[in-house]
Every structure is written in structure tokens, then in C-alpha cells.
Amino acid sequence: MNFQVTGLALDKMKLDSPHSFLDSEEVEEAEDQQLLEPEAWRTYMERRNVLREFLTTDLSPQLLKRHHARMQLLKKCSYYIEILPKHLALGDQNPLVLPNTMFQLIDPWKFQRMKKVGTAQTKIQLLLLGDLLEQLDHGRAALDALLEAPDPRPFLAGWGLVEQQLADLSVVMDNFLAMMVPGHLHVKHRLVSDIGATKIPHIRLMLSTKMPVMFDRKESVAHQDWVSLRWFVTIQPAAPEQYELRFKLLEPRTQQECTQCGIVPVAACTFDVHNLLPNRTYKFTIKRAESYTLVYEPWRDSLTLQTTPGPPEGPAPSRLGKPSLPLTTPSER
């Protein structure tokens, strides 16, 4: 279609020209509007804006990306049982029983059973979180495709289902956020044995999370026959922690080289490993030391470093600085 702009020296300007006043989105919108009555078109635009607002705020790609990063972090965390007193009985003036004291009151066999329950609960919780996050990804993809559909009539006809999808995804998001924080452990049986006391303390068991221990890959350096290792925790613990460092030589060539390995307890976030072989590759792993309350630790960080080559081998000492002499036979003497 050609048209003329009155008062300007511009004519025969085509709608699909790069200089058109309407961009492609406006052209598509004008074509869509022709499919609906004015009132239906207004309703369509209002509902379209509602959906667009939901996808850009409540379920934005940036938000889902942060949740995926958080999920990956949770898969690397360590999970523990935390024992806390519920409350004091009304009028009881005795001091709050400390968790260390409670361990002395808890039946060890029953506590081991609860650790197994905590392990199973943690694994299930991580699986459910992954499933909920997958539902959010698929839900957003479906709604985004609906938003970009060229024909507005199916959008209007199925708006009731769209509203239900928005409500369902909001519930999924709420459940996902609530499940991100480890919760109570359900105690079926009394953990404290009958100790003959007049009052048995009421306790509650919680699952607590510790951030993963990771090597500092910039500060961990290999030298000729030793390495300097550094590691850190994203959220610094309130009290100093004990760590377990493991190392081993990769691809040992002799039986003696197979002894190039070890487990070292460390009470700091740095350690130097000496007496290594030059120009060889070693694998190092770091984790927290075993704890009585640990229930699940699916991941530990590992680092591979290669020591630097040793000095080049020179000529034999007996020949250093001496000119070579010609060999003579007895007949030549």
C-alpha cells in the first residue's frame, strides 16, 4: 500500500520501509486488533498486561536464575541435627539445659535412628526443591509462549485456565521459598530415656545448614616439592571449625610413590603440604571434620595442582671443568 503525507515532500512511502512510523510490534498489534471488537480488545490488553507483569516481577528470568544458583549451593551444603530446648515449664526457675548437657540425656541408639531420619528428610527436601524449581521453569515457559501467541482469541477464551496457572505457580513459589530453609524433625518417640528425674527436659530437633567449604583457587599455589593451600566458608562460623584435608598423587609410577597420600586434620583455613615430588599432579580435597550431629554431606570440594619441575640435571660431577682426553691403546704408548 502506498500513501502520501500532506505538506511534506514524502510520498509513496511503504509500510514495510525501514523509515516507517510503525515498528513491527505496533503493526502486529494493529493486525491483532482487527480480529476483536473494541471492548474485547481492551479486555485482551488488560489481561495481557497482567500476565506480562507476573512474568517480569513474580517469575522473572533473573529471579529464577538466582533460585537455580541457590539450589546449586544447597546441594553442596552440610546438614546437621541441632538440639534445642523447647521451653521452660511455667514457674520453673532452673536454668535452660544446654545442648551439650542434653546429649548426655539422649539415648544414643535413638539418636542414631533420628540421624537416619534426618538424612532421609534432607534428601527428600532437596529432591522436592528441584521438582518445584522445574515446575516454575516449565510454567514460565508456557506462559511466555502464550503471551507471544499471534492470535488473541485463544488467549481470551482460555483466560480462566491462565488465572489458575498464575495462582498455582504462586503457590509453587511460596512452597519453594518455605522449603529453602531446613525445618523441624518429626520425633515419633521420646529421645530422653527415663533417668529417674522428676522433670525430663522437652527438646526439639532442627535441621541446620552449613555453607560448603571451598578452596581459594587464587591463593592455593604449587611449588617444586610443596603446595600452599587456602580455603574458606562463605558465611564465617561463629566458632572455629575443624577440617579434614586429603591429598594423593595422581598416576603413581612405583610402589613407593603410592605412599604419596594422606589425611591431615587442620584447625585453620590454611595448610602447607611438603615433601612432594616435582613436576607431578596431586589431588586435594577439603571438608569439615566428622561431627556427631552430621546427617548429610553430599559434596566436598577438590583441587588439582601440579608441582613445578625441578632444576635440570647437569653433567656428571667428575667431568665438570675437565677437558676430555683421547683414548689410547697400549700399542700407541
Side-chain angles (χ1 to χ4, degrees), residues 31-49:
E31 293 174 350
D32 294 342
Q33 189 171 358
Q34 296 176 2
L35 301 175
L36 299 173
E37 296 295 330
E39 183 64 29
W41 176 255
R42 284 192 292 270
T43 302
Y44 168 72
M45 291 304 296
E46 290 174 0
R47 293 176 177 177
R48 180 183 171 88
N49 290 335

Side-chain angles (χ1 to χ4, degrees), residues 209-282:
T209 305
K210 290 185 179 182
M211 291 294 104
V213 184
M214 293 182 288
F215 281 111
D216 188 332
R217 282 161 168 75
K218 291 184 178 180
E219 297 296 328
S220 297
V221 183
H223 303 275
Q224 179 179 327
D225 59 354
W226 66 285
V227 297
S228 176
L229 298 172
R230 304 288 185 275
W231 55 87
F232 65 93
V233 181
T234 306
I235 300 177
Q236 290 297 328
E241 292 188 297
Q242 302 290 323
Y243 302 97
E244 180 185 282
L245 174 67
R246 293 172 179 253
F247 71 96
K248 69 175 181 178
L249 172 66
L250 299 181
E251 300 181 1
R253 300 166 187 169
T254 64
Q255 191 67 29
Q256 186 176 1
E257 287 186 357
C258 292
T259 62
Q260 286 270 314
C261 61
I263 303 175
V264 185
V266 186
C269 290
T270 176
F271 191 78
D272 297 336
V273 183
H274 291 270
N275 300 320
L276 303 180
L277 299 175
N279 200 25
R280 301 297 293 274
T281 302
Y282 288 83

